[in-house]
Amino acid sequence: MRICWFNDNRLGVVKGDTVFDVSKVLEKLPKPTYPASRHGDTLIANLAALRGDLEAAATGTGIPAASVKFLSPVAAPTKIIGTPTNYHDHIAEAAKQSDVFTYKRPSSNIDDQGLFLKANSSLIGAGEPVRLRFPDRRSDHEMELGVIIGKKASNIRLEDALSCVAGYAIALDMVVRGSQDRSMRKSIDTYAVLGPWMVTADEVPNPSVLGFSLAVNGVTKQKSNTKDMIMTIERQIQFASEYYTLLPGDIIMTGTPSGVSQVKPGDVMHCEIDTIAAMDVRITADE
Ligand code: MN
């Protein structure tokens, strides 16, 4: 199933090129309480129970997908986790451009440097532009597979890791280059893109063999396959869960291959991942 948020916070199920508004199913979610409970994203946490209702609601006259504004398919993650340096060819290109990649890492080994976090407030969907807040600095695209956690997981065993996944989406780990800590440079408003929808895990039997690519203004910049990851998806989930309890809706951006490049206002990034989706994301100046 393909699940999205669109327009003015409507909930949708996507079939082919059509979005069905299934927002009435939200009435079946547990009522919100204050202060917010720390159980993760309420919809993702209840997705399995609501699946039949979502299927049943996705009928009638739909809306052309091309005409909706896609928001992030996860409304309220408790964290966005980034996996650094997870493709050999990206490590090589970073080493060759040390004047641009000035952030000092202890090593390029992921176990040594650990994962990082992006602020939740940076998250947008495919229908919203990435706004460049620092026009005089170099902002790059990093095209990645986004993994969306579906249930609470702490110290998860490797063989159980994929059973914790709710689904997958295209992720853009946007970054402004420089020497500051990654958590600052990758947390600028709009610098985490997820979309255009979440494909539930049952439709992605092997997330570790997905071809993907990113083109800017029609010119291919990044092209790779998730099989080329250094740290597997299973190990990333396990590694993260050794440090933080993963909660429904948490997002892991699983690393980028070579080909990262600077974006400018007016650019359009076309992103595709096999089985998952394609999406176009615009770059604008900050208003
Ligand atoms: Mn990245």
Side-chain angles (χ1 to χ4, degrees):
M1 180 179 278
R2 289 155 192 250
I3 296 162
C4 69
W5 288 97
F6 68 100
N7 294 353
D8 185 19
N9 292 308
R10 306 300 296 176
L11 180 65
V13 167
V14 183
K15 293 183 180 178
D17 296 331
T18 304
V19 179
F20 295 90
D21 190 329
V22 296
S23 302
K24 66 179 183 184
V25 176
L26 294 172
E27 293 165 13
K28 302 202 172 194
L29 288 175
K31 291 282 173 288
T33 55
Y34 181 85
S37 63
R38 297 188 179 184
H39 295 148
D41 182 275
T42 306
L43 175 66
I44 304 285
N46 290 279
L47 200 56
L50 291 180
R51 188 130 178 179
D53 294 292
L54 292 168
E55 288 280 9
T59 57
T61 307
I63 309 157
S67 71
V68 311
K69 175 182 160 186
F70 285 107
L71 310 174
S72 167
V74 179
T78 73
K79 49 197 167 293
I80 303 169
I81 299 162
T83 301
T85 58
N86 203 16
Y87 290 80
H88 288 295
D89 57 357
H90 176 59
I91 295 171
E93 78 177 347
K96 268 189 262 171
Q97 300 177 63
S98 58
D99 56 324
V100 173
F101 293 79
T102 52
Y103 180 73
K104 296 289 181 287
R105 302 176 174 124
S107 89
S108 59
N109 181 297
I110 303 170
D111 283 291
D112 290 345
Q113 56 178 312
L115 307 176
F116 63 89
L117 295 173
K118 290 167 75 82
N120 296 344
S121 51
S122 64
L123 185 63
I124 59 168
E128 302 165 270
V130 171
R131 303 193 313 269
L132 303 185
R133 184 164 284 204
F134 300 99
D136 297 335
R137 296 172 63 183
R138 174 172 158 172
S139 283
D140 283 6
H141 54 77
E142 291 190 358
M143 166 78 189
E144 315 198 354
L145 174 69
V147 174
I148 298 155
I149 298 298
K151 63 182 186 189
K152 190 173 178 178
S154 181
N155 279 318
I156 196 77
R157 294 188 308 172
L158 204 58
E159 56 267 39
D160 295 331
L162 285 187
S163 72
C164 299
V165 176
Y168 301 91
I170 299 173
L172 286 168
D173 175 20
M174 302 299 296
V175 55
V176 65
R177 298 292 173 199
S179 58
Q180 296 161 325
D181 193 87
R182 261 190 296 239
S183 65
M184 189 169 211
R185 293 181 293 106
K186 295 191 163 201
S187 290
I188 298 167
D189 293 353
T190 74
Y191 272 44
V193 187
L194 192 72
W197 44 71
M198 179 181 81
V199 179
T200 52
D202 55 292
E203 294 189 12
V204 190
N206 191 351
S208 300
V209 288
L210 299 174
F212 63 93
S213 64
L214 175 146
V216 177
N217 305 332
V219 178
T220 300
K221 298 286 188 180
Q222 298 191 269
K223 189 170 174 60
S224 190
N225 190 295
T226 56
K227 71 177 165 52
D228 293 331
M229 286 183 191
I230 295 169
M231 181 180 279
T232 64
I233 295 168
E234 291 91 329
R235 174 59 188 147
Q236 292 174 60
I237 294 168
Q238 180 187 46
F239 191 25
S241 82
E242 289 169 354
Y243 288 77
Y244 0 86
T245 298
L246 299 176
L247 293 169
D250 284 358
I251 297 157
I252 302 178
M253 297 195 174
T254 54
T256 201
S258 65
V260 301
S261 72
Q262 185 175 13
V263 288
K264 301 257 174 64
D267 286 348
V268 176
M269 299 177 288
H270 178 77
C271 314
E272 290 187 25
I273 302 183
D274 292 348
T275 313
I276 310 289
M279 68 181 191
D280 287 329
V281 179
R282 289 181 299 120
I283 303 284
T284 69
D286 201 19
E287 60 261 15

